Amino acid sequence: MSLRPTVDFLLHEWLKVESLQSRERFADHSRETFDAVLDTCERIARDKYAPFNRLVDTQEPHFDGEKVILPQATHDAYKAYAESGMLSAAQDYEVGGMQLPYTVEAAANAFFAMASVSIGSGMLTSGNANLLMVHGTELQKQVFAANEFSGRFSGTMCLSEPQAGSSLSDVTTRATPDGADFEADALGARYRLKGNKMWISSGEHELSENIIHLVLAKIPDANGQLVPGVKGISLFIVPKKMVDTHGQLTGERNDVALAGLNHKCGWRGTTNTLLNFGEGKYPVRGEAGAVGYLVGKPGEGLRCMFHMMNEARIGVGMAATMLGMAGYYASLDYAKNRPQGRPTGAGGKDASQPQVRIIEHADIKRMLLAQKAYSEGALALALYSARLVDEQHTGTPEDADVARLLLEVLTPIVKSFPSEWCLEANSLAIQIHGGYGYTRDFPVEQYWRDNRLNMIHEGTHGIQAMDLLGRKVLMEKGRGLQLLAERMQATAAKAETHWAPEAAALRDALKQVGQATQQAWAGAQPAEALANAVPYLQAFGHTVIAWIWLDVANSLGEDNSPAAQGRRAACRYFFRYELPKIGAWLNVVSSRDATCADLPEDAF
Ligand SMILES: Cc1cc2nc3c(=O)[nH]c(=O)nc-3n(C[C@H](O)[C@H](O)[C@H](O)COP(=O)(O)OP(=O)(O)OC[C@H]3O[C@@H](n4cnc5c(N)ncnc54)[C@H](O)[C@@H]3O)c2cc1C
C-alpha cells in the first residue's frame, strides 16, 4: 500500500495544485517539477527513514558526558534530507530555495513523517530559519538562516521552562544588555541570557556544525524587575557555538549547557533536552551568561515566535496524520493476511470450513474505515490549509486576507483533529492486530506512542480549544467563522444531486456549531463559555472533517475505481458514524454545563 496515489489525488484531482503555476512566484513550476520533488522525498523516506524507525526507538539518544550520541542512521537521514534542498524548498531562488508552493512542500514532507516521524525532517530548522527571514536583520538572515537552509546549522525553538508550559507569560529567563556597546553588535543587539529551558527538541546533538536556539526571554525594566505578562517577552538568537559575521565558528563555545535528556514515551529518535542558559559552565569572554542577539523589537518576542508556532502547528497536525496513515496501512496489510474465525451463516458457524481472513469481518472493516476517514480526511485538511498559506502569500490582497482569516480559524483544527483522532486511529490499528498489536514485534504500538505527544506539544488540546472558542471564532466580529461557513455551504450546494442526505447533515451541523458558539458566549462570562471548550473543539473538528470529506466526494465525479469507492465509503462512514456525535458535544457547550467546572476539589 503506497501513500503516493492518495497524495497525487488530493493535490491534483481535488486541490488542482497546478493552477498555482499561473502565479508569478511559481511560474517555473509544473506537474513535472512537483512530481520530481515528491519522487525524491518518497525515495529518501523509503531508503533512509523507514528502515530505521524501530532502531531509533530502541537506541534512544544518550549522553556520553561530552556529546549526545544518536544512531548513524539519523546522521545519514539528516544529510540526505539537507542535500535534497527541502530545508529551503519554499524560499526564494536568491537564497537557494526552489520557490516551491507550500502545498507541495507539505505533501513532500508527509513521506518523512510516515516513514519515521522521530528521525524528523528538519521542521524545527526550516521553521527557525523561515522566522528569521521574516523578522531578522539582513546579517541575521545571512549568518544564521542561510546556514540553516543548507543544513550546516540546525535550529530549535526554546519557549517552555520547567514552571512555564502553557502559560508562557511566566517565563523567567532573563536577558540583560551585554556591555555598554551592546547595541553596536553587527549580529543584533547583544544580551546575556540566564535561565532554564525545558523540553527543547533537538536541543543537543552532533548532527550539524552548530545549533541555533531561538529563545524567549524577558529584559528586566529599569528597576531590574521582569515585566509581567507576554508583553515583556523578547526573542533572541542564541547559537550553541559562537560565530563571526561571516557565519564562521570562532572556536568559542556559548554558555548553553545540557542539563539532561528527557526519556520519552515515544518519538525517541529526536533528542529532548533541559538546557541551562548562562549558568557559567562555558563562560564567554570570561563571563557567565549565554550570548543572545535580539530578533525584532524588545517586547515583541511572542508575536515573532508565533510565526514559527503556526507553521509548527500545521507540521504537528501533519505528523499526527501521517502516524495515523502509517497505522492504517500496517493494519490493512495485517487484516488481509491474518486468518481468524468463520462467518456466521444462517445455521451458525461451520467449523469444518477454513478460517477467513479478518478483513472479511464487518467489525474489522469498521475499524479500517474509521482509520481511513480520520487520517485521509486530516491529510486533505492539512493540504487544504497549506494551499491557504500559498493563497495568503501569492493571492490578490482580498484573497490573501480571506486565506489569512480562514487559516486563523482552521489552524487549531489542523493541529488538534489529527492529534486526537489519528491517535484513536492508531489505537484501532493495535486492536486489529489483537495481542500481536500489543507487542513490539509489530510497528503499531510505536505509532501510538509516537502519536501520543501531539495532543501535548505546540499548545495542548485544552489550550487549542480555548484559542478556538475564546479567540478564533470571535476575531474580527466572527468573520473567519463566517467565511468558513460560506465555503461549507458552497460544498453542500454542490453535493445536492449525489449526496443530498450528507449535504443536509452538513448544513445542520454548521447550524448547530453556530448556535452553540452564540450560546456559549450568551452569558458573556469567559470562564463559563470556555469550561467546555474541548467538546466544542471536537464538534468543530468533526464538522470541518465532514465538510472536507463531502468536498472530496464531490470531486470524484463518475470515477468508480476501487480508490474512488473507498473515498465514497469513508465519506459515508464519517457522516453516519462520526458526525452525529457532535450533538452530545455541543449540548454541554450550549447549556454552559458546569458539571465539571463546579465540582469542588474535595469531591474528586
Ligand atoms: C516531547 C516534547 C517535545 C517538546 N518540544 C518543545 C520544544 O521544542 N520547544 C518548547 O519550547 N517546548 C517544547 N515542548 C513543551 C510543550 O510545548 C509543553 O509540554 C506544553 O506547552 C505544555 O506545557 P506543560 O508540559 O508545562 O504542561 P502544563 O502547561 O502544566 O499543562 C498541564 C495540563 O493543564 C492544562 N492547562 C494548563 N493551563 C490551563 C488553563 N489555563 N486552562 C485549562 N487547562 C490548562 C493543559 O491543557 C494540560 O492538560 C515539548 C514537550 C514535549 C513533551
Side-chain angles (χ1 to χ4, degrees):
M1 195 77 197
S2 158
L3 170 67
R4 184 61 181 274
T6 302
V7 167
D8 282 344
F9 165 80
L10 291 173
L11 285 181
H12 302 295
E13 313 296 319
W14 182 54
L15 282 177
K16 313 265 183 256
V17 78
E18 279 97 270
S19 65
L20 284 169
Q21 283 164 245
S22 62
R23 309 280 162 92
E24 202 187 326
R25 181 172 179 78
F26 306 128
D28 294 343
H29 284 293
S30 61
R31 171 83 192 241
E32 283 69 41
T33 61
F34 295 160
D35 279 351
V37 171
L38 295 180
D39 289 347
T40 304
C41 291
E42 200 180 357
R43 178 177 48 75
I44 299 173
R46 189 185 53 234
D47 296 347
K48 304 280 184 191
Y49 284 66
F52 307 106
N53 193 39
R54 179 59 92 184
L55 179 106
V56 298
D57 186 57
T58 50
Q59 290 184 18
E60 272 189 272
H62 69 275
F63 186 52
D64 70 359
E66 217 178 287
K67 290 178 177 160
V68 170
I69 311 294
L70 290 166
Q72 183 57 39
T74 308
H75 288 261
D76 297 343
Y78 179 87
K79 189 163 172 276
Y81 187 80
E83 284 173 358
S84 75
M86 282 302 288
L87 286 165
S88 60
Q91 286 294 328
D92 296 354
Y93 294 134
E94 293 91 82
V95 294
M98 303 183 216
Q99 293 195 186
L100 196 67
Y102 180 59
T103 318
V104 181
E105 186 193 9
N109 277 327
F111 291 101
F112 299 103
M114 197 171 94
S116 179
V117 79
S118 76
I119 290 181
S121 62
M123 183 180 86
L124 283 167
T125 298
S126 54
N128 177 310
N130 290 346
L131 180 151
L132 292 176
M133 292 306 286
V134 176
H135 298 289
T137 62
E138 280 313 309
L139 197 61
Q140 288 176 340
K141 289 179 200 174
Q142 281 167 33
V143 170
F144 301 109
N147 282 310
E148 289 185 85
F149 286 139
S150 71
R152 198 182 145 221
F153 298 169
S154 57
T156 72
M157 54 189 277
C158 302
L159 290 75
S160 309
E161 297 181 3
Q163 81 298 341
S166 300
S167 179
L168 287 174
S169 58
D170 291 300
V171 301
T172 56
T173 298
R174 282 175 168 256
T176 47
D178 185 27
D181 65 342
F182 77 102
E183 282 179 310
D185 199 305
L187 289 173
R190 197 181 58 240
Y191 288 74
R192 290 287 184 139
L193 275 70
K194 292 188 179 174
N196 315 106
K197 290 289 175 182
M198 181 57 165
W199 304 118
I200 306 310
S201 296
S202 302
E204 183 60 71
H205 55 72
E206 302 295 319
L207 294 171
S208 53
E209 234 179 272
N210 203 356
I211 302 177
I212 308 305
H213 304 290
L214 279 178
V215 184
L216 291 183
K218 289 188 172 180
I219 303 171
D221 64 16
N223 303 318
Q225 302 296 312
L226 296 185
V227 180
V230 294
K231 289 207 177 73
I233 300 177
S234 305
L235 180 63
F236 300 88
I237 298 168
V238 183
K240 169 180 158 183
K241 296 174 186 168
M242 302 300 288
V243 294
D244 64 19
T245 51
H246 302 288
Q248 297 308 314
L249 305 188
T250 64
E252 201 173 11
R253 176 85 199 244
N254 201 357
D255 197 7
V256 183
L258 177 73
L261 291 176
N262 293 312
H263 298 285
K264 296 170 287 174
C265 160
W267 213 299
R268 293 180 178 163
T270 305
T271 50
N272 191 270
T273 56
L274 171 60
L275 296 179
N276 288 349
F277 288 80
E279 66 173 5
K281 183 164 183 189
Y282 305 104
V284 183
R285 293 190 298 274
E287 243 185 78
V291 172
Y293 306 100
L294 183 70
V295 180
K297 296 198 179 99
E300 294 196 352
L302 208 55
R303 193 181 67 81
C304 296
M305 204 61 158
F306 259 104
H307 189 91
M308 185 169 181
M309 281 153 74
N310 281 336
E311 269 186 41
R313 281 172 183 173
I314 297 182
V316 167
M318 190 60 114
T321 300
M322 299 323 297
L323 284 164
M325 280 292 209
Y328 169 55
Y329 290 144
S331 58
L332 178 58
D333 184 51
Y334 186 83
K336 283 179 178 173
N337 290 296
R338 166 76 173 166
Q340 197 68 200
R342 293 168 181 83
T344 315
K349 290 179 185 172
D350 181 354
S352 67
Q353 290 300 308
Q355 298 200 83
V356 296
R357 293 163 312 129
I358 61 172
I359 195 165
E360 295 177 52
H361 301 307
D363 190 50
I364 296 289
K365 291 186 182 180
R366 174 187 65 80
M367 292 190 278
L368 288 169
L369 209 45
Q371 291 180 67
K372 181 177 170 69
Y374 299 146
S375 308
E376 208 174 308
L379 177 59
L381 173 64
L383 294 177
Y384 181 90
S385 303
R387 177 69 184 77
L388 288 174
V389 172
D390 284 323
E391 199 58 36
Q392 193 183 359
H393 292 158
T394 63
T396 62
E398 297 77 38
D399 290 347
D401 194 52
V402 166
R404 173 189 65 82
L405 260 174
L406 283 169
L407 271 171
E408 292 280 13
V409 177
L410 286 175
T411 302
I413 307 302
V414 178
K415 194 262 170 185
S416 301
F417 179 88
S419 299
E420 180 170 6
W421 298 99
C422 294
L423 179 70
E424 173 61 17
N426 289 154
S427 180
L428 293 172
I430 293 173
Q431 194 67 20
I432 287 176
H433 282 72
Y436 297 96
Y438 198 60
T439 69
R440 287 176 156 233
D441 298 331
F442 288 84
V444 284
E445 59 82 32
Q446 187 187 343
Y447 297 145
W448 187 91
R449 283 188 289 107
D450 287 348
N451 217 350
R452 189 61 191 82
L453 172 62
N454 291 314
M455 281 172 82
I456 298 170
H457 67 161
E458 289 305 332
T460 63
H461 218 50
I463 296 296
Q464 296 292 334
M466 289 191 288
D467 184 43
L468 179 69
L469 180 56
R471 211 164 68 82
K472 296 294 178 68
V473 295
L474 305 179
M475 66 195 292
E476 300 182 29
K477 300 196 175 125
R479 205 171 134 243
L481 182 56
Q482 187 56 40
L483 287 166
L484 183 62
E486 283 166 17
R487 270 158 184 70
M488 291 190 185
Q489 293 288 6
T491 297
K494 241 174 141 182
E496 213 55 80
T497 322
H498 297 297
W499 293 88
E502 286 77 11
L506 180 61
R507 286 198 185 99
D508 182 55
L510 191 53
K511 199 166 138 199
Q512 288 186 56
V513 169
Q515 284 171 348
T517 311
Q518 282 182 358
Q519 285 162 359
W521 285 104
Q525 297 295 331
E528 218 181 73
L530 298 178
N532 293 302
V534 166
Y536 179 83
L537 175 83
Q538 290 171 308
F540 201 108
H542 264 55
T543 305
V544 167
I545 296 296
W547 159 57
I548 290 286
W549 267 118
L550 193 57
D551 209 65
V552 167
N554 277 340
S555 74
L556 295 172
E558 301 303 313
D559 183 357
N560 210 24
S561 63
Q565 287 174 32
R567 293 199 172 101
R568 285 196 191 90
C571 179
R572 268 195 301 278
Y573 171 87
F574 204 83
F575 274 86
R576 293 179 189 179
Y577 288 71
E578 297 290 332
L579 191 61
K581 292 177 182 169
I582 72 165
W585 286 323
L586 290 177
N587 266 344
V588 292
V589 179
S590 302
S591 61
R592 303 196 290 282
D593 191 285
T595 308
C596 307
D598 283 355
L599 193 63
E601 243 177 87
D602 293 349
F604 282 98

